[in-house]
Amino acid sequence: MAQCVQSVQEFIQDSFVPMVAVLCSEDAEKVTRKNNLNFSELLRPFCRLTSEGHMRDPNNQVQVVKNLRISVNNVVTRPSVPTSGVHGPAQRRLLSEVVSACQPAEGGVANVITAGDYDLNISDCSVKASVPWYSDWRDTLKELSTSKHYTATTPWFEAYRESFLQSMPASDHEFLNHYLACLLVVSSSEAVPVEQFLKLSQEQHRIQHNGEYTNPKWFIPNTLKYYVLLHDMSQGDEQRADSVYEDMKQRYGSQGCYLLKINSHTAAAGTDEQIPDPWSQYLNKSSRQNGVSVNSLDNTHPLQLETAIDMPGSLDSLRADAVETKTTTVYTGVAAVTSHGACLTLNDHNRLRLFIQEFTFRGLLPHIEKNIRQLNDQLVSRKGLSRSLFSVTKKLFGGGKVPEKSIAELKNTSGLLYHPEAPELQIRKMADLCFLVQHYELAYSCYHTAKKDFLSDQAMLYAAGALEMAAVSAFLQGGAPRPYPAHYMDTAIQTYRDVCKNKVLAERCALFSAEVLKSQSKYSDAATLLIKMTSEDSDLCSALLLEQAAHCFINMRNPMVRKFAFHMILAGHRFSKAGQKRHALRCYCQAMQVYKGKGWSLAEDHINFTIGRQSFTLRQPENAVSAFRHILTNDSQQTSTQQGAFLREYLYVYRNVPGVREVALPQLPLPCINSSATRVYFGHERRLAEGEKQAATHVSLDQEFDRDLAAVWQDLEEQVVAAANRGLVPSTFYPTQCCLNSQTDNLHFPLAVVEEPIIVEVAFRNPLKVPLVLSDLSLLWKFTLKDFSRPQPQDIMVEDAVTISNEKEAIAPRVRKGKGDDIITTEVIPEFCMSPEETRVARLKLLPRQTGQLNILGLVYNLASTPSTGDSTINSPSATAGTSVRGRQDLEIQGPRLNQTKEEKTSVSHGPDRRLDPTITPPMPLLEVFFLQFPTALLCGEIRKAYVEFCNVSHVPLCGLRVASTHPDFFTFGSSSLATPLTPLSPTSFENCSAYKTLATPPGATPGSVTAVTLVSAADFGSGGGGVFGTGGKRVAEIPLGEGTLTPGESTQLPLWLRGPDQEGVHEINFLFYYESAEKGGKIRWGDHRVLRHTVFICASRSLSIRATACRSNTLPEEEREEGRNGSMLVFVDVENINTSEAGVREFHIAQVSSSSKQWRLHKCINPAEDKDCKLTTRERGKLCFRATRCKPHEEKYTFADLSLGNEQIISSTTPCADFFFRRCQPSESWRPLIAVETQGRHSRSQGAGPGGGAEDITGVVRKCNEVDLDIIVLWKAFVVEDNKQVILEGQLHVALQTIGKEACSLTQKEEAQEMVLLKFKPELPPPTTRPSMEQLSHLIKTNLHYPESYSHPFVQKSLCMVPVTLMLSNCSLAQVDAIIDLRHKTTSPESLEVHGSFTWLGQTQYKLQLRAQEVMRLPLRAGFLHAGVYNLGTPRVFAKLADQGAMCETSQQTATPALIIINST
């Protein structure tokens, strides 16, 4: 329960005070009217005694009376008011006006009560309360209980309670509000004052004892008459007044009369003295009876609304309330400011105070003491006889003890009346007198006695009154008080309400009991009592009681916050029914503090809806708009009909906010905007296609952002920028971002170009179940003009910078046209419809016209409700057509959280997000790229020719056109250094539209023979000399333009050769086109270049599989020189058709096999097919064997040799064949470990190293013996049937031969997934040196036997046949080799002996030789035969080792093929 200004004891004492009547003569009234007061009003501020009074009880004990207050009123003889037990209309109106006039103070500091997780704004101080789950609740409750500043008061309730008690009519069953005395006041200016006193005395006697008047009621028949002579000091004769007063003392006694002198103030005294006015506070209360309207709208106080809730209702009632409120007549409490006591001085104030004290101490208290004694004596004298007779009668007639009955069983005897002199009433009188003079112990005893008598007589009204006052007396007793008999109060309330049907007395009793329970911290009982007293009879009373019950819940030891809120809602509802709009709004606002943010959406909607309506009715449209905003922004669970009603009421209230829309656009709650999902696109929307042209895909808002793909684009841009800047990336480089979103890096100001649009994509969400219509939707922006052509630092602020905004134009877009369109052209979307609960994006466009800094602030639009929104209960035209309001929503994007430094990690701080703050730069070139005849599917290795068109669609020339790609081996623009014809040369290639440069095979040429040998420099196709590879690496290619620039509006078309990927499947291939402005003036950071992206998807199908193996030839170097060949080897090429015919391929033809190497070239095909072409159908395999010879070394030049297998020759050393050869991950020696060069260096340095040479040198020397730097290019044709036509496809496959005897394949083997490697934190030891393998060492020396194929010998004449044999030893390495030839080896295999027979080497059987680098040595041998036959001479075993490696064991060398000799016998 709310705290009160008075304590409970003071409140009860002031509720029951001695009543004193006043009768004045006309002259006396004139004297007091000089001060604008009557006599009772004159005394009212001084009716509380400041000193103690004393009196003696019947036991002659002194009783101290403290802080006594008396009530002085004029005698009003109005007709008797029927005691119906309920308030009449006049009393209801008075109570309502009292409550309405008392409102919370404006501008006061709110009392914040913290209860658990709740902070409740109650009143004007800060006090804490808590709940058990709050960590320090014990300390908090202790602070609450001991605080002296807890003043969460409800003054309107105290004012109601005071007026309620004062307005209660006098009752016959109690005497507390009956008059005890009467003041007879006569002016000293009367001719005969004594006669006037006599007349007034007779008038009082007539009023009291004549049955004509029932009001006022008098306490006892012998009422105390106190004679007061009123003397006006400003006019009267003071001596005469003194003489009359002396006469009065002789007549009435000195204790029965008094001379009161007033009006001492005169005009001559001056006006400097400030006399206080203590009468105003008392007179204002009584003046309310003259009328104060229920809603005083002039004193509106702003309520700070935080949230709000739902309550169904139509807009008609809202408008009706608004009209009613506006037309209500407003009254003021007092018509004009009136001064009181103008003729009185401070001395007069003291005289008045002294008069009351004299009257009370010398007149009233002795009179009460006397009557108490008399009543006590009467009761004592009657007690013996009366009680004995009563008890005998009851015993004789079976009375005995009265059986206890419940209240429900008792008859309604509230109408029972006692005779005024009845003993029961005399006891009640004595009890009331004792209570009035604070003798609570004796009063309790008397009330207790009277209660028994009344219950015996079943006089329930009297019994209830005795029970009520007995309980109050027991509570007010000092010393060791009795326990408060709460059951007395409960019985009294139930009796008043249910038996006597007197709800006024029941309410008074409940008010007293609730205060007593609250003072004893029994808040639960008090709340239960107050809730029980609510009824449908009085909405105002019920509202006040429910509010006090709510305060009881919040003040309990364990505060019940939700019960507090619930009962505040009930109180607000009853306040609203009672017409107390302001109090209703206050209750709902306080309850909202508990319900908000707890997920109780329906409760929040109800409260917010009520707050909105009440605020609008009280002419607080801003607060109403705020409340309705919360209904619409929360995730409402209402039905679509109800949500439609909410939306219509919000729009109606918003339209009635005066003067807001003309000044600034307020924030609209709908639809919801996901600011972080805002995307910004810079540039024109790309044209997708123009006829057969396919436009570059670039970047669009329709593409989803892929972080991995963005990293790929950034890497490509870094490479191409490095290529354009001599291999270095500038420090000011920042990757180009055409589309910004929440996942991109938005820390820098993005760049936009003049006359190029900026498209902002905003994500809207309609949270309601009703459609929304947005019209005239556009962007709000602010623009600062800057001239970037002037050379000035970026960080210097221009003082005269002009900032322009379109906010004023956006208020009325169709009326106002400002100069903002000359700076930024803003696109307006006429209508944007959203379905219920739909999420939809809107793309809004800005076109900058000048350079500067742009800041996109938000959106502006009209929000409208469709006619179908909710139930159409409004008959106004605006409602039928849909109400529309204009407002804005800001785009506030929170940047990424900073997490770099220690301070940022320990705090929550966010960086900037600049995606809505672009810098508008001067004009830049703009490139558009179109592709013609670009395929979507290719065979693996297929060559296709397409065309690319480059268009400059800007007003600035461009240059430095380059392209970077993730698949540089997929395309080529041709070699710029070689004059590559763009048209085919041979008729056949022309008919088939061949992409190669071809020549007809000369007549008479043998198929498979070398038709052309060409030397080509890698710089013509590779990374040097401005070829297709720029300085940035193999992924960047320069695109040749005619004059190096592309002028505005110019377009050029270039050929583009494509080659299908070697691996089958769908390949995503990215192109990044880079270009610069030819006008290099005024660069802005990294804004000196632009890029264009393009992505294609190529589906590659299987074609051919090529496998190649190189074998060493058996011919010796000398023999090769004789034949014109400088070394030779055999190359075996296996070709397999692995195509599954899904592309309609019938067969493949091997048209040509070419080679490229610095050391080797193909010489001729050993086994050409009989037909001209080698044809392969599905799953068919062919084998080709070629002889390769060494070629003369040329620095940095490759030897291309073409072996045509058909009727035309493809020149492989030109575009596109050579381009794709050099682009395929570079030739074999480029991606193979660079050992050749390193080996030569080491070998030259280790010629005389001896045994100390390292193992790495050995490995290099040995490996060099087996290396082959030969690349095979297989060119094929495929015949495909498409649309009943035969189409010839062509392509090329590459095989890189690295080592003799090791097979190479055109299809790269899939790498197995590497196993996870544990992290090692210790430095690893250097890897152990690798020694050459046995297989590598077995190829140091090549052997060959020279002998006659057949030999005839006459065995009859001579049994031993000796044949001379020469063993040729050739050192294949570049180092000195030690060799051992062992002739002791014989074939022991029975099969070999049976076939070949046995022979013997004659002479020396073991030789030790030393061969210099690449030396050829002849060793003469003799073989001895005993019989004729076929013999195998290949039995010598050769062991070799490097000469400078003494510790190495000799390794057996590979022998040649079997050397068969035929021995004939003659």
Side-chain angles (χ1 to χ4, degrees):
M1 192 169 183
Q3 297 291 323
C4 301
V5 176
Q6 291 180 313
S7 65
V8 185
Q9 289 79 4
E10 292 173 346
F11 163 63
I12 296 178
Q13 288 177 4
D14 288 348
S15 300
F16 301 105
V17 295
M19 303 285 292
V20 178
V22 175
L23 283 176
C24 291
S25 65
E26 295 182 1
D27 291 344
E29 286 290 342
K30 292 178 181 179
V31 173
T32 58
R33 284 299 173 189
K34 291 182 179 181
N35 298 289
N36 295 318
L37 299 166
N38 58 34
F39 188 75
S40 61
E41 294 173 347
L42 184 69
L43 298 179
R44 194 162 297 163
F46 311 102
C47 288
R48 185 177 295 279
L49 302 181
T50 57
S51 57
E52 297 180 353
H54 299 82
M55 59 174 292
R56 293 184 179 273
D57 60 8
N59 295 327
N60 208 27
Q61 298 294 325
V62 176
Q63 179 69 25
V64 180
V65 181
K66 299 179 181 180
N67 200 27
L68 181 66
R69 186 179 73 87
I70 64 175
S71 178
V72 179
N73 300 292
N74 291 331
V75 174
V76 179
T77 58
R78 60 176 178 269
S80 176
V81 179
T83 57
S84 60
V86 294
H87 288 300
Q91 291 173 311
R92 290 176 182 271
R93 184 171 58 254
L94 172 63
L95 294 176
S96 178
E97 291 170 353
V98 166
V99 174
S100 178
C102 191
Q103 299 289 341
E106 295 185 15
V109 179
N111 179 16
V112 180
I113 293 184
T114 301
D117 297 331
Y118 303 93
D119 295 329
L120 307 180
N121 296 325
I122 302 296
S123 170
D124 56 352
C125 283
S126 179
V127 177
K128 293 181 179 179
S130 184
V131 287
W133 58 83
Y134 196 58
S135 59
D136 54 349
W137 63 278
R138 290 185 177 85
D139 298 337
T140 310
L141 288 174
K142 183 178 180 181
E143 178 184 351
L144 174 64
S145 60
T146 58
S147 174
K148 297 181 180 179
H149 304 285
Y150 181 62
T151 57
T153 58
T154 50
W156 48 89
F157 172 69
E158 297 181 34
Y160 169 86
R161 191 176 58 186
E162 181 180 356
S163 299
F164 170 79
L165 293 176
Q166 290 179 355
S167 64
M168 289 190 64
S171 177
D172 292 332
H173 76 285
E174 61 183 9
F175 305 95
L176 291 169
N177 51 0
H178 291 195
Y179 286 105
L180 278 169
C182 183
L183 297 178
L184 307 178
V185 186
V186 175
S187 173
S188 61
S189 60
E190 295 277 358
V192 184
V194 177
E195 292 183 0
Q196 288 296 328
F197 280 124
L198 180 59
K199 290 182 181 179
L200 293 177
S201 177
Q202 293 174 353
E203 179 69 15
Q204 187 277 332
H205 187 273
R206 183 178 65 83
I207 291 174
Q208 179 178 358
H209 295 287
N210 191 352
E212 181 181 354
Y213 302 103
T214 58
N215 284 308
K217 295 187 180 295
W218 304 90
F219 204 103
I220 52 180
N222 187 17
T223 302
L224 172 65
K225 298 182 179 62
Y226 196 80
Y227 302 90
V228 181
L229 182 64
L230 189 63
H231 176 65
D232 190 348
M233 296 290 291
S234 61
Q235 293 181 356
D237 185 359
E238 188 173 0
Q239 293 183 356
R240 182 175 181 273
D242 292 338
S243 62
V244 173
Y245 178 60
E246 291 296 331
D247 186 28
M248 290 171 59
K249 288 195 290 186
Q250 295 296 329
R251 183 182 299 271
Y252 306 118
S254 59
Q255 296 184 354
C257 58
Y258 192 83
L259 173 61
L260 179 60
K261 300 177 181 181
I262 60 172
N263 296 345
S264 301
H265 190 273
T266 59
T271 58
D272 295 339
E273 186 178 6
Q274 295 294 331
I275 305 299
D277 183 8
W279 294 273
S280 298
Q281 56 179 328
Y282 297 95
L283 297 180
N284 288 340
K285 296 179 181 180
S286 60
S287 65
R288 295 192 186 102
Q289 298 177 1
N290 297 329
V292 179
S293 70
V294 175
N295 290 308
S296 180
L297 298 180
D298 291 340
N299 297 326
T300 59
H301 76 282
L303 289 174
Q304 299 299 327
L305 299 181
E306 297 183 5
T307 38
I309 251 188
D310 130 273
M311 176 179 176
S314 65
L315 203 56
D316 294 330
S317 59
L318 184 62
R319 291 173 178 161
D321 291 343
V323 172
E324 178 185 355
T325 303
K326 294 178 182 178
T327 57
T328 303
T329 303
V330 180
Y331 299 95
T332 57
V334 181
V337 178
T338 305
S339 62
H340 304 98
C343 299
L344 302 178
T345 63
L346 292 178
N347 290 332
D348 293 334
H349 291 188
N350 293 332
R351 292 190 185 102
L352 292 171
R353 191 175 293 105
L354 183 61
F355 163 67
I356 292 296
Q357 184 172 339
E358 286 293 323
F359 164 70
T360 304
F361 291 161
R362 304 186 64 178
L364 183 60
L365 289 182
H367 177 70
I368 294 176
E369 179 182 349
K370 173 184 175 183
N371 281 277
I372 290 176
R373 289 181 178 273
Q374 290 178 355
L375 290 173
N376 183 65
D377 293 341
Q378 293 176 9
L379 293 175
V380 170
S381 62
R382 295 178 181 179
K383 184 176 181 180
L385 178 62
S386 300
R387 290 302 171 193
S388 60
L389 288 175
F390 286 147
S391 59
V392 169
T393 305
K394 292 174 184 177
K395 289 180 181 180
L396 289 176
F397 293 97
K401 183 179 180 180
V402 178
E404 295 184 359
K405 299 180 180 180
S406 64
I407 299 299
E409 294 175 349
L410 295 174
K411 296 180 180 179
N412 184 3
T413 56
S414 59
L416 176 64
L417 295 177
Y418 286 95
H419 188 271
E421 299 300 325
E424 291 81 1
L425 292 186
Q426 301 303 316
I427 297 177
R428 175 61 197 251
K429 283 185 179 182
M430 180 177 174
D432 289 346
L433 285 175
C434 294
F435 187 87
L436 291 176
V437 295
Q438 303 175 10
H439 198 339
Y440 299 117
E441 185 176 358
L442 181 57
Y444 174 77
S445 178
C446 294
Y447 284 132
H448 194 269
T449 302
K451 178 257 303 183
K452 294 181 179 180
D453 293 339
F454 292 141
L455 286 176
S456 299
D457 297 337
Q458 294 190 9
M460 301 312 299
L461 179 62
Y462 295 88
L467 284 170
E468 175 186 5
M469 296 311 298
V472 173
S473 300
F475 171 73
L476 293 176
Q477 287 184 33
R482 292 184 175 89
Y484 172 65
H487 59 286
Y488 279 13
M489 278 292 193
D490 296 339
T491 304
I493 293 172
Q494 190 175 2
T495 303
Y496 280 141
R497 187 180 58 190
D498 299 337
V499 179
C500 304
K501 305 300 181 183
N502 195 319
K503 296 184 179 180
V504 176
L505 292 175
E507 182 180 345
R508 184 190 71 176
C509 189
L511 292 176
F512 289 144
S513 181
E515 288 292 335
V516 172
L517 293 173
K518 183 200 69 174
S519 67
Q520 297 178 346
S521 299
K522 298 179 180 179
Y523 292 104
S524 179
D525 296 340
T528 303
L529 175 61
L530 291 171
I531 296 172
K532 189 185 299 183
M533 288 305 300
T534 59
S535 65
E536 296 297 326
D537 297 333
S538 174
D539 291 318
L540 179 62
C541 174
S542 299
L544 291 168
L545 295 181
L546 287 170
E547 183 182 14
Q548 295 305 307
H551 283 278
C552 289
F553 289 122
I554 203 65
N555 281 279
M556 295 173 65
R557 181 178 180 84
N558 296 331
M560 306 175 74
V561 183
R562 285 176 291 184
K563 277 199 171 185
F564 160 79
F566 177 71
H567 286 86
M568 288 300 287
I569 293 294
L570 297 179
H573 176 65
R574 300 303 292 271
F575 271 129
S576 180
K577 290 180 64 176
Q580 300 289 337
K581 306 293 184 183
R582 297 188 186 281
H583 288 293
L585 179 60
R586 175 186 50 78
C587 290
Y588 277 100
C589 290
Q590 291 184 4
M592 190 64 220
Q593 301 172 86
V594 177
Y595 285 106
K596 66 178 180 181
K598 300 299 184 297
W600 299 348
S601 60
L602 296 180
E604 286 189 60
D605 290 347
H606 169 75
I607 298 177
N608 275 319
F609 183 84
T610 307
I611 289 177
R613 280 205 159 189
Q614 298 290 2
S615 298
F616 185 77
T617 305
L618 295 173
R619 296 183 183 177
Q620 299 175 10
E622 294 84 359
N623 295 336
V625 168
S626 177
F628 279 114
R629 277 176 57 90
H630 289 285
I631 303 179
L632 300 177
T633 54
N634 293 338
D635 292 333
S636 176
Q637 298 181 6
Q638 302 289 344
T639 61
S640 60
T641 303
Q642 190 60 55
Q643 289 181 356
F646 287 159
L647 179 59
R648 292 198 322 276
E649 299 218 18
Y650 166 76
L651 297 177
Y652 175 78
V653 169
Y654 175 81
R655 292 181 63 87
N656 286 272
V657 177
V660 173
R661 296 182 298 277
E662 288 75 9
V663 179
L665 291 170
Q667 298 287 335
L668 292 177
L670 292 174
C672 299
I673 295 180
N674 185 3
S675 296
S676 63
T678 302
R679 298 196 298 169
V680 185
Y681 177 78
F682 302 99
H684 293 279
E685 294 184 0
R686 297 292 169 177
R687 291 176 290 177
L688 297 180
E690 289 186 357
E692 296 180 356
K693 297 180 181 180
Q694 177 185 355
T697 56
H698 195 50
V699 182
S700 69
L701 289 171
D702 298 327
Q703 300 172 358
E704 294 293 333
F705 180 79
D706 188 342
R707 189 180 298 274
D708 297 334
L709 187 58
V712 172
W713 288 117
Q714 180 177 344
D715 181 58
L716 288 177
E717 186 173 358
E718 289 181 359
Q719 293 184 35
V720 73
V721 169
N725 290 273
R726 300 179 181 178
L728 298 176
V729 178
S731 59
T732 58
F733 168 76
Y734 186 73
T736 303
Q737 297 184 119
C738 297
C739 185
L740 301 179
N741 52 48
S742 59
Q743 301 182 60
T744 56
D745 183 7
N746 304 323
L747 296 179
H748 299 83
F749 290 97
L751 297 181
V753 182
V754 168
E755 301 297 338
E756 293 189 15
I758 301 171
I759 303 175
V760 180
E761 181 184 89
V762 183
F764 292 98
R765 181 178 65 89
N766 180 9
L768 303 181
K769 301 175 184 177
V770 296
L772 295 177
V773 178
L774 278 63
S775 59
D776 294 337
L777 176 63
S778 62
L779 289 171
L780 283 175
W781 49 262
K782 180 176 66 175
F783 186 77
T784 304
L785 292 173
K786 290 183 181 180
D787 188 2
F788 294 107
S789 62
R790 293 185 298 176
Q792 59 183 359
Q794 291 292 327
D795 55 351
I796 296 180
M797 299 299 293
V798 183
E799 296 181 358
D800 56 349
V802 180
T803 301
I804 301 172
S805 176
N806 70 332
E807 293 189 40
K808 293 183 179 180
E809 290 83 354
I811 295 178
R814 299 184 180 179
V815 179
R816 304 181 182 179
K817 292 293 181 181
K819 61 180 181 180
D821 288 341
D822 299 333
I823 306 297
I824 305 286
T825 302
T826 306
E827 181 190 24
V828 178
I829 298 179
E831 188 175 69
F832 185 78
C833 300
M834 297 191 68
S835 302
E837 298 181 338
E838 180 188 11
T839 298
R840 186 181 176 189
V841 297
R843 294 177 180 175
L844 302 148
K845 186 182 297 183
L846 297 176
L847 184 63
R849 302 291 187 182
Q850 297 188 27
T851 60
Q853 183 64 46
L854 176 64
N855 302 101
I856 301 174
L857 306 177
L859 301 107
V860 58
Y861 54 92
N862 295 326
L863 177 62
S865 61
T866 59
S868 60
T869 302
D871 51 343
S872 299
T873 58
I874 310 172
N875 298 323
S876 64
S878 62
T880 305
T883 307
S884 172
V885 297
R886 189 160 185 81
R888 63 181 290 176
Q889 283 203 60
D890 294 335
L891 292 174
E892 299 175 351
I893 303 177
Q894 187 180 58
R897 179 174 177 179
L898 302 178
N899 198 25
Q900 299 295 329
T901 63
K902 181 178 179 181
E903 291 75 11
E904 293 172 352
K905 292 180 180 180
T906 56
S907 62
V908 179
S909 58
H910 296 268
D913 192 303
R914 310 283 192 188
R915 76 180 91 162
L916 295 178
D917 304 325
T919 300
I920 311 302
T921 66
M924 290 283 292
L926 185 61
L927 177 69
E928 287 191 355
V929 180
F930 298 94
F931 297 87
L932 289 82
Q933 302 175 10
F934 202 94
T936 58
L938 294 171
L939 294 175
C940 292
E942 178 186 351
I943 303 296
R944 191 78 64 90
K945 187 176 182 180
Y947 294 90
V948 184
E949 183 178 346
F950 299 97
C951 303
N952 185 359
V953 295
S954 67
H955 300 285
V956 180
L958 64 85
C959 63
L961 185 57
R962 293 175 173 84
V963 62
S965 176
T966 53
H967 296 69
D969 55 342
F970 172 69
F971 70 98
T972 179
F973 284 95
S975 174
S976 61
S977 62
L978 298 179
T980 304
L982 301 182
T983 57
L985 298 181
S986 65
T988 308
S989 62
F990 178 78
E991 292 175 2
N992 298 330
C993 298
S994 174
Y996 292 110
K997 178 182 178 182
T998 60
L999 293 174
T1001 304
T1006 304
S1009 62
V1010 175
T1011 56
V1013 177
T1014 310
L1015 292 176
V1016 175
S1017 174
D1020 296 335
F1021 300 92
S1023 59
V1028 291
F1029 298 107
T1031 56
K1034 62 181 180 179
R1035 291 193 175 188
V1036 180
E1038 295 181 3
I1039 300 176
L1041 296 176
E1043 299 179 357
T1045 61
L1046 203 60
T1047 59
E1050 183 184 0
S1051 63
T1052 183
Q1053 196 173 92
L1054 297 177
L1056 177 69
W1057 288 270
L1058 308 174
R1059 179 179 178 270
D1062 290 326
Q1063 296 292 332
E1064 67 171 332
V1066 178
H1067 298 263
E1068 180 180 356
I1069 302 175
N1070 300 319
F1071 296 88
L1072 183 72
F1073 295 94
Y1074 168 96
Y1075 57 97
E1076 301 173 356
S1077 173
E1079 300 175 357
K1080 295 294 184 180
K1083 292 184 180 180
I1084 304 176
R1085 293 179 307 184
W1086 57 89
D1088 55 351
H1089 74 271
R1090 305 189 80 175
V1091 296
L1092 177 65
R1093 300 176 182 178
H1094 179 58
T1095 301
V1096 296
F1097 292 90
I1098 298 296
C1099 180
S1101 302
R1102 290 187 290 180
S1103 56
L1104 298 178
S1105 173
I1106 311 296
R1107 295 178 181 271
T1109 308
C1111 297
R1112 184 168 290 158
S1113 175
N1114 291 330
T1115 59
L1116 294 175
E1118 292 182 352
E1119 298 175 0
E1120 293 171 352
R1121 292 191 191 99
E1122 294 175 359
E1123 296 177 3
R1125 305 193 309 269
N1126 187 13
S1128 65
M1129 65 177 177
L1130 299 179
V1131 178
F1132 298 93
V1133 179
D1134 289 342
V1135 183
E1136 182 183 0
N1137 181 1
I1138 59 175
N1139 184 269
T1140 55
S1141 300
E1142 68 268 8
V1145 180
R1146 294 192 305 170
E1147 60 184 9
F1148 284 89
H1149 288 212
I1150 308 301
Q1152 180 175 308
V1153 178
S1154 300
S1155 67
S1156 173
S1157 175
K1158 292 182 179 180
Q1159 301 176 12
W1160 297 87
R1161 68 178 180 85
L1162 294 180
H1163 180 63
K1164 68 174 182 179
C1165 181
I1166 298 177
N1167 59 336
E1170 292 181 359
D1171 6 352
K1172 294 183 178 181
D1173 286 348
C1174 179
K1175 299 180 181 179
L1176 297 174
T1177 58
T1178 303
R1179 289 301 177 183
E1180 189 175 359
R1181 177 181 297 181
K1183 192 176 187 68
L1184 300 174
C1185 181
F1186 300 91
R1187 183 186 298 276
T1189 62
R1190 286 187 181 271
C1191 54
K1192 296 181 181 180
H1194 295 83
E1195 293 183 359
E1196 302 300 330
K1197 285 197 174 183
Y1198 291 83
T1199 300
F1200 280 80
D1202 299 333
L1203 276 74
S1204 175
L1205 302 180
N1207 56 1
E1208 64 180 2
Q1209 174 195 352
I1210 299 173
I1211 304 176
S1212 63
S1213 59
T1214 59
T1215 298
C1217 183
D1219 293 87
F1220 289 117
F1221 166 73
F1222 285 108
R1223 278 178 172 262
R1224 53 168 299 277
C1225 301
Q1226 291 291 50
S1228 59
E1229 62 186 19
S1230 299
W1231 49 264
R1232 189 177 59 245
L1234 300 179
I1235 296 174
V1237 179
E1238 296 176 1
T1239 305
Q1240 292 178 1
R1242 293 194 186 99
H1243 181 70
S1244 62
R1245 293 191 299 268
S1246 61
Q1247 285 294 330
E1256 294 183 0
D1257 295 337
I1258 302 173
T1259 305
V1261 170
V1262 173
R1263 186 179 299 172
K1264 185 65 177 178
C1265 299
N1266 304 320
E1267 283 186 351
V1268 179
D1269 294 329
L1270 180 61
D1271 292 275
I1272 305 298
I1273 306 174
V1274 177
L1275 295 101
W1276 52 263
K1277 292 184 180 181
F1279 295 87
V1280 181
V1281 177
E1282 291 183 357
D1283 299 330
N1284 297 325
K1285 293 182 180 180
Q1286 178 172 299
V1287 181
I1288 300 177
L1289 306 179
E1290 53 191 355
Q1292 66 187 58
L1293 297 173
H1294 310 99
V1295 180
L1297 289 173
Q1298 304 176 35
T1299 308
I1300 291 178
K1302 185 175 181 180
E1303 186 182 61
C1305 184
S1306 62
L1307 297 177
T1308 57
Q1309 302 296 328
K1310 295 183 179 179
E1311 297 182 359
E1312 298 181 357
Q1314 296 182 354
E1315 297 182 357
M1316 185 179 296
V1317 180
L1318 295 177
L1319 294 176
K1320 297 180 180 180
F1321 298 97
K1322 294 183 180 180
E1324 294 184 354
L1325 297 176
T1329 57
T1330 57
R1331 293 184 175 273
S1333 63
M1334 299 296 289
E1335 182 182 0
Q1336 292 174 338
L1337 292 174
S1338 66
H1339 294 285
L1340 291 176
I1341 294 179
K1342 181 170 69 172
T1343 61
N1344 194 6
L1345 291 172
H1346 281 211
Y1347 58 92
E1349 293 184 2
S1350 63
Y1351 191 85
S1352 299
H1353 179 74
F1355 286 97
V1356 176
Q1357 301 174 4
K1358 193 176 182 178
S1359 61
L1360 178 62
C1361 175
M1362 293 185 295
V1363 179
V1365 178
T1366 303
L1367 177 62
M1368 304 293 293
L1369 302 173
S1370 177
N1371 186 359
C1372 297
S1373 68
L1374 298 177
Q1376 192 173 4
V1377 176
D1378 292 338
I1380 299 176
I1381 295 92
D1382 187 4
L1383 303 178
R1384 294 173 296 179
H1385 175 70
K1386 292 183 179 181
T1387 302
T1388 57
S1389 172
E1391 295 81 2
S1392 179
L1393 291 175
E1394 182 179 354
V1395 174
H1396 302 123
S1398 176
F1399 71 98
T1400 305
W1401 291 102
L1402 304 177
Q1404 187 177 347
T1405 59
Q1406 189 173 17
Y1407 299 88
K1408 290 187 178 181
L1409 306 175
Q1410 191 173 57
L1411 283 76
R1412 295 187 302 272
Q1414 296 185 345
E1415 179 186 1
V1416 178
M1417 181 177 291
R1418 296 171 179 268
L1419 182 61
L1421 302 176
R1422 289 186 304 170
F1425 304 92
L1426 298 177
H1427 303 283
V1430 179
Y1431 295 90
N1432 180 14
L1433 297 180
T1435 60
R1437 297 180 61 186
V1438 181
F1439 300 90
K1441 69 171 183 176
L1442 294 177
D1444 55 355
Q1445 300 296 327
M1448 183 186 298
C1449 297
E1450 293 82 357
T1451 306
S1452 176
Q1453 301 299 295
Q1454 289 185 353
T1455 58
T1457 55
L1460 302 179
I1461 187 172
I1462 302 174
I1463 304 297
N1464 297 317
S1465 178
T1466 60

